[in-house]
Amino acid sequence: GLIYFLSTELPSFKVLRNTFVRDIRTAYVYFRFLFHLKKLHALNHSVVDRFSITCKKYRNDVCFIYQDEEWTYKRVDELSNKIANCFLSRGYKKGDEVALFMENCPEYICTWLGLAKIGVVTALINTNIREDAFGHSINILDIKAIIFGSNFVEAIRDAIPFLKDKERMEYYSYAEKSQNQDVSTTFSCKSLNSLLDDASPQEVRLSYPKPGSQDKLLYIYTSGTTGLPKAAVIRHSRYLWIATATKFPCRLRKYETYYNPLPQYHASGGVLMLGVVLIFGGKMVIRKKFSASNFWKDVSKYKVTVTQYIGEICRYLLNQPVTPEETQHCLRLMVGNGLRPHVWKEFKDRFRIKEIIEIYGATEGNTNIANLFGKVGAVGYFPKVMQRLFPVELMKINPETGELLRDKNGLCIRCKPGEHGEIVGKIVKHNPLNAFDGYANKAESNKKIITNCFTRGDMAVRSGDILVMDEEGYLYFIDRSGDTFRWKGENVSTGEVENIVSKVLNHSACVVYGVEIPNNDGRAGMAAVQMKANDINCSDLYLNLKKKLPSYALPMFIRVCDDLELTGTYKLRKVSLQKEGYNPENVSDALYFIDHKQKSYVPLTRDRHEDIISGRVRL
């Protein structure tokens, strides 16, 4: 009776036999996690509150290791206090918004943590974006100041013309120990290093209520399904639940040593494991940038027990020569997303990884699942005996339009095993696990919300991802719906790239889409432009796109067409172009391939195409 009550439909005896133990263990972890989360919610605790508790408990223990230097919890606390007191003295207060544009380092974390202590919300800016994309990320919020690493002076200078409130913006430059602190700029800028020398390391005293669980903590940018970057709202409650959801389901211990080479402006690098360290304790090794050649050296050297990955990292590591360190380590667990089925077993066996936990979720979404028991290729599963407690489902869509299909009662239709569908999460108020904070822009948030999904009158969030489920409830990622594809672990918005390519080519008609390259995860970008091949200056095109786009969003291929096909509603059609791909034997139009050494796009010949397909050309 209990199984029937908790299930949306009664599973077969065979399925129940195969999944019962898994689901009971999942239920135990779920209720333990939910109990802890509800307690934090009831206490109205913020990330600052929980860090304070952790800091008192482990004050003299190592919190971070960076470039062989150890940072204790005490040091992190004192530097974040300096940040808090510094900006409080300069008039910043609860609700103000500040942008952070720095590379990975402990000071990065101390900066947003210190600002959080006075209630200032920090926008974590992607360090790859430049000029108008940077300006857009600032302009969609009410940013009062930009804190940037001293190595990004030129990027800030080039972006200032694109800021709408450039006259009132304040700029603070911070230099790490290894960087030159005497930064010369063509714009008014204060040295944060100098200001911090005079700031108090004591706990900040506020004249207004301290931040609570429902207050905003961060903005983390995501490309979403269309357009320029969107600022996803991360409240204290969401940061706490992500950290808690990582701690308990992943069965993390008190004294783990974590390795984090992922960018801290992303939720993966800036929330997932980092949140566990700040909220529960542990030690984290921070690397400025991921390095495939140094990964296992670091893991071995620092006796790392847990690390994170994205699919591309796993592929990079497999392509490295065999080294002694890759099996001489203490690593017991890797957590991440994007590990493809054909890589999974080889990766685990070669590097002797005891356990891999694949997770699925979005920075702003509520459709978060995990593969806790190592099912190869699965991104998670729906527990068959407790589906009513976890309102996330695969819903049928129209493959042509991408719209959700409805039954005769107007409700969404659940997918059966083997059917592709979009993963959708029900919004449950007063439950942090199923809440949806959305984006800073309310209109963008509303685009993600649908009504009458599970039951009449409810609300749910569309993920934009297509998955498929097997008989036992395991879920497998298929693709992104809409106009976004994934490359190098990043979501690439075709709309954004189309606008920039078109602008660079004097507003020529342009469509951008993703194409598959053998032995590479995700899809590489390809742009089809309507113009004469003789009118393209390939080196100028490369240099202009390189300047305006992040490296992962640069089109790898260019196709020059005399005409681009229109739909009945006068929209450019890309489906047929995507199917035709980039094989010069099948495409009569002029094709070009990106060449970083020549800093240009070069003709895509049959020989060069063969080199790309065979892997002789490194991407």
Side-chain angles (χ1 to χ4, degrees), residues 149-282:
S150 59
N151 55 323
F152 287 123
V153 169
E154 292 183 3
I156 298 296
R157 180 200 63 199
D158 293 345
I160 287 176
F162 297 92
L163 304 181
K164 65 179 181 182
D165 291 326
K166 59 177 76 69
E167 291 80 12
R168 73 174 182 87
M169 190 70 69
E170 291 189 337
Y171 302 92
Y172 297 87
S173 170
Y174 183 84
E176 297 178 47
K177 282 184 179 180
S178 59
Q179 296 172 340
N180 181 17
Q181 295 192 15
D182 298 325
V183 178
S184 60
T185 63
T186 56
F187 54 94
S188 178
C189 175
K190 301 174 181 67
S191 168
L192 186 55
N193 299 76
S194 299
L195 294 173
L196 293 179
D197 287 341
D198 300 325
S200 170
Q202 300 302 312
E203 185 175 344
V204 68
R205 296 183 180 276
L206 300 176
S207 60
Y208 48 82
K210 67 177 184 177
S213 65
Q214 293 308 303
D215 287 313
K216 293 178 184 177
L217 172 66
L218 302 169
Y219 291 110
I220 295 181
Y221 291 83
T222 173
S223 63
T225 54
T226 58
L228 288 160
K230 303 179 184 70
V233 177
I234 307 295
R235 300 185 188 277
H236 287 265
S237 58
R238 184 166 182 83
Y239 196 100
L240 289 172
W241 96 245
I242 294 174
T244 306
T246 306
K247 163 77 173 175
F248 290 107
C250 295
R251 303 177 292 281
L252 300 176
R253 304 172 300 200
K254 286 184 180 180
Y255 296 103
E256 303 281 12
T257 299
Y258 304 94
Y259 182 64
N260 187 4
L262 305 181
Q264 291 171 359
Y265 57 76
H266 269 179
S268 53
V271 182
L272 202 68
M273 293 298 179
L274 176 60
V276 175
V277 172
L278 297 178
I279 307 306
F280 297 102

Side-chain angles (χ1 to χ4, degrees), residues 2 10 24 82 95 146 185 221 270 320 355 374 381 407 502 514 576 586:
L2 179 62
L10 189 63
I24 293 301
K82 282 191 168 195
I146 300 174
T185 63
Y221 291 83
Q320 289 294 303
E355 186 178 8
Y381 54 89
D407 62 17
S502 178
S576 57
N586 302 331

